Structure formats: structure tokens, C-alpha cells
Amino acid sequence: FGSCASSRVKAKKARADKAKSRPEMFARRLASLGLAHARARPAPPSMFLRPMSSNAAAPAPPPRTVPEDFLHFQEKAHFSSGRSSPHIPIQHLPGEYKVKLTVSIKDLDLKPVEEARLAVLAGPRYKSETKKLVLTVEKFPNRVENKRYLVFILESLLQAAKRGSK
């Protein structure tokens, strides 16, 4: 009966030793493939982990260059007769906070080089047939915040498109 317990202890110790040697074995395998630099490194301290001081300012958004008249926003409106039981919480419907921004490229006063750069930056959101940029977001639980974020994305894209052409 005693030999059975000692064999279980030996097996448990062997598994623990094997688990300890796995990272070393993995590091040797990476080194043999020439990927020694791919080992896990400690993450640098993030600015998001530190508490912000009250006098620290948030990064400023890019300056507003597109007038409000050229921006076309679309939102969904959901209408229902309500729930049969008032005790069941009302869930948010899919797409309730989704906001879609459509802007014509001709309204942005871009040079041909900047327009091509914007098309590359926007990817499939740029519709070359209609020469329109369509951006959609559902990041925040509020339509107003999603609109602001879309304008921020548009201004950032325009700033990046114009960066090298000055």
C-alpha cells in the first residue's frame, strides 16, 4: 500500500518538473528557429494603468476642417409597444446606437494625391463608384458620442491624407 502512494508522489513531482522545463524548452525552440526575440517581455508601463492627475489634459482632437453641412448622418430608430411585463428589463436592440456618416469627397477639397491617399487609408469604406466615404461606428452606448467619434475619425483620416502633401 505504501509503494502506491510513493509512486503517485513521484509522478506528481515528475509532472511539476516537466511543467517547469516547458518555458525553457519553448525558449530553446524559438532560439533554434531564429526567433529568440519573440520571447515574452514584460509590458512597459501603460499610461492607461496610471491614474490621471486632475491637471493633465486629454490629447486634443484634430482641428475641425469639414463643415457640418457636408456631413450626412444616419441612425436607426426602433419603435415598439413595450414589454408585457414591467419587471423584465428592456434590452438595447442591435444597432440602436449605430451611427453612419457619409461624406462626399468633392466636398472635402482634396488634391488628387490626397484623395488617393485617403482612399488607401479608408480601405473598403471609400466607395470609388460614388466618390463617397462611408464610416460606421457603434462603439459607445450613446448616439451623440458615436457622432463625435465619427467626426474625430474623419478629421484624423483627412489629417493623415494631407500630411505629406504640404
Side-chain angles (χ1 to χ4, degrees):
F1 186 71
S3 65
C4 207
S6 66
S7 65
R8 275 189 266 157
V9 171
K10 287 179 186 176
K12 190 175 182 180
K13 187 175 181 183
R15 281 195 303 268
D17 290 341
K18 189 175 180 182
K20 286 180 187 174
S21 67
R22 273 195 193 126
E24 296 164 5
M25 184 176 64
F26 184 67
R28 280 185 300 211
R29 188 176 293 160
L30 285 175
S32 69
L33 294 172
L35 301 172
H37 65 279
R39 278 184 279 158
R41 295 185 188 115
S46 173
M47 65 179 217
F48 300 110
L49 298 177
R50 284 185 254 135
M52 297 229 1
S53 62
S54 60
N55 59 359
R64 187 75 185 266
T65 59
V66 181
E68 191 74 30
D69 300 340
F70 298 143
L71 305 178
H72 303 285
F73 292 100
Q74 290 180 351
E75 305 163 349
K76 282 186 180 179
H78 296 282
F79 300 101
S80 70
S81 59
R83 301 233 179 229
S84 59
S85 171
H87 303 291
I88 300 173
I90 296 175
Q91 298 290 325
H92 297 295
L93 297 170
E96 185 174 358
Y97 300 123
K98 186 183 285 187
V99 179
K100 181 177 174 182
L101 168 67
T102 307
V103 62
S104 179
I105 299 299
K106 67 176 181 160
D107 295 336
L108 300 178
D109 295 329
L110 297 175
K111 299 174 187 170
V113 174
E114 296 170 347
E115 185 178 329
R117 211 177 280 145
L118 179 67
V120 170
L121 288 170
R125 294 161 204 83
Y126 176 73
K127 310 299 180 199
S128 58
E129 306 87 31
T130 58
K131 299 273 188 182
K132 290 190 176 187
L133 184 65
V134 179
L135 300 171
T136 307
V137 74
E138 191 177 12
K139 185 174 182 173
F140 301 102
N142 187 334
R143 290 180 185 166
V144 174
E145 287 179 271
N146 284 329
K147 280 183 179 181
R148 285 186 195 144
Y149 187 64
L150 280 173
V151 172
F152 172 78
I153 290 173
L154 176 66
E155 294 293 345
S156 299
L157 281 170
L158 290 174
Q159 191 176 37
K162 293 178 179 180
R163 190 169 292 144
S165 63
K166 290 184 179 182

